[in-house]
C-alpha cells in the first residue's frame, strides 16, 4: 500500500490522502496511523482518494471508520472492535453524513463492500476532486 | 506456493464438463500473504471456468475467512493455512484448513442491519460478508484437531432468458 498526501487550500483547508493498492488486513492499520499523523499535524478535513484501490476487505471498512472517528475528534476504536467502531461512526452520522472525512473515486468492488455492510450512506462520496474539495 | 493441477498429474484431454481438477495452496498464515492468497483463488477459480462475478465473491470470502484465522485463530502465532479449490458440478467448493484452536464461525449470529447502528452487535463483519458472498458455509473439526471451513458457491453463468436470445429474423 502506497500512500501520498496533498494539501489544498479551498474554502476550508483540505488534505487529500491517496491510497494506492489493495486495502486489506495487511495494511489497514498503517492507513489509520497515517490518518492519525495527519490529524495530529493539524489536518481537519480529509478527502480519501481510492482511485488506486481496486479491492477492499472488511479490514478496510475498519480503517475508514477509525479515520472518520479521528477527524471528528474522537479516539479511534480498537480496530478489532468491528461493529463497535461502526456503531460509533453511526452515532456521528445520525445528524447526517461524515462532515470531516469524505471519499473520492470509489471503485466498484469497494462500493459493493461498503454497500453490503450498510456503511455507504454514512460517507459522502465524490467522483470529481474539485467538487469534493469544494464540498468541505 | 504449490499448485496441484489434476489429481493424476497428467494432461487432461477430457471435455471440460468432465474435468475433475483440484488446486491447492499451503502458505504461512500471515497478513502479508493475503495478496498471494487472493491471486491463488483468482487463478484457481478461473482455471475451473468459474464466471468472473463468482470469482470476485470467492476471492473476498476467502480473504475474510483467512484474515479471521490469522487474527483470531493463530493470534500472531506461526501456522499454516491450506486452501483447496475444486469444481463440483455447477458449484465451486473451497476448503480452508488450519491448525489454530478449534473455532466454528458458522455459529455466530449475523448483525441485524435493520437495527440502528447503536443497537447492532459488535464484531463479525468478516463472517457476515462471507455469508453474503457464497451460497453455503460449513465447518468441521478435522481429524488432526484443526479447523476446516468449506465455502460453496454456484458457478454457472446465468442463461439468457428467451427474450434475450437473439433470433435469426432479428437482424
Amino acid at each position: 500500500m502506497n500512500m501520498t498526501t496533498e494539501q489544498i487550500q479551498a474554502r476550508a483547508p483540505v488534505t487529500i490522502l491517496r491510497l494506492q493498492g489493495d486495502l486489506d488486513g495487511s495494511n489497514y492499520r498503517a492507513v489509520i496511523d497515517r490518518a492519525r499523523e495527519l490529524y495530529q499535524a493539524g489536518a481537519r478535513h480529509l478527502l480519501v482518494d481510492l482511485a488506486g484501490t481496486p479491492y477492499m476487505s472488511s479490514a478496510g471498512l475498519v480503517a475508514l471508520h477509525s479515520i472518520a472517528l479521528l477527524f471528528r475528534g474522537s479516539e479511534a476504536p480498537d480496530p478489532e472492535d468491528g461493529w463497535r467502531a461502526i456503531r460509533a461512526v453511526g452515532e456521528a452520522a445520525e445528524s447526517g453524513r461524515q462532515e470531516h472525512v469524505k471519499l473520492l473515486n470509489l471503485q466498484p468492488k469497494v462500493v459493493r463492500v461498503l454497500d453490503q455492510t450498510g456503511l455507504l450512506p454514512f460517507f459522502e462520496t465524490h467522483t470529481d476532486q474539485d467538487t469534493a474539495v469544494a464540498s468541505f | 506456493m504449490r499448485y496441484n493441477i489434476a489429481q493424476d498429474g497428467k494432461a487432461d484431454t477430457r471435455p471440460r464438463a468432465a474435468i475433475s481438477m483440484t488446486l491447492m495452496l499451503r502458505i504461512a498464515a500471515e497478513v502479508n500473504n493475503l495478496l498471494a492468497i487472493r491471486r491463488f483463488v483468482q487463478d484457481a477459480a478461473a482455471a475451473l471456468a468459474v464466471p468472473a462475478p463468482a470469482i470476485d465473491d470467492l476471492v473476498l470470502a476467502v480473504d475474510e475467512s483467512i484474515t479471521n484465522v490469522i487474527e483470531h485463530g493463530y493470534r500472531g502465532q506461526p501456522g499454516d493455512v491450506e486452501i483447496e479449490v475444486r469444481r463440483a458440478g455447477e458449484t465451486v467448493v473451497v476448503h480452508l484448513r488450519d491448525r489454530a484452536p478449534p473455532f466454528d464461525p458458522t455459529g455466530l449470529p449475523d448483525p441485524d442491519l435493520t437495527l440502528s447502528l447503536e443497537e447492532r452487535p459488535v464484531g463479525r463483519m468478516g463472517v457476515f460478508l462471507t455469508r453474503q458472498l457464497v451460497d453455503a458455509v460449513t465447518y468441521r473439526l478435522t481429524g488432526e484437531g484443526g479447523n476446516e471451513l468449506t465455502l460453496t458457491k454456484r458457478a454457472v453463468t446465468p442463461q439468457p432468458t428467451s427474450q434475450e436470445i437473439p433470433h435469426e429474423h432479428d437482424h
Side-chain angles (χ1 to χ4, degrees), chain A residues 32 36 62 65-66 69 75-82 84-86 88:
Chain A
I32 297 171
R36 182 180 289 113
V62 175
H65 304 159
S66 300
L69 288 176
E75 180 60 32
D78 185 325
E80 293 192 359
D81 280 355
R84 189 181 306 160
I86 297 168

Side-chain angles (χ1 to χ4, degrees), chain A residues 5-34:
Chain A
T5 58
E6 178 183 356
Q7 309 289 333
I8 294 183
Q9 184 61 50
R11 185 171 55 188
V14 177
T15 301
I16 302 176
L17 174 60
R18 291 193 170 88
L19 307 184
Q20 189 74 35
D22 292 352
L23 179 51
D24 65 9
S26 71
N27 52 32
Y28 74 103
R29 286 187 172 90
V31 175
I32 297 171
D33 290 343
R34 183 72 185 110

Side-chain angles (χ1 to χ4, degrees), chain B residues 105-122:
Chain B
T106 63
L108 296 174
D110 278 343
D112 186 347
L113 297 184
T114 66
L115 297 175
S116 69
L117 288 171
E118 292 75 18
E119 295 170 317
R120 294 184 188 191
V122 175

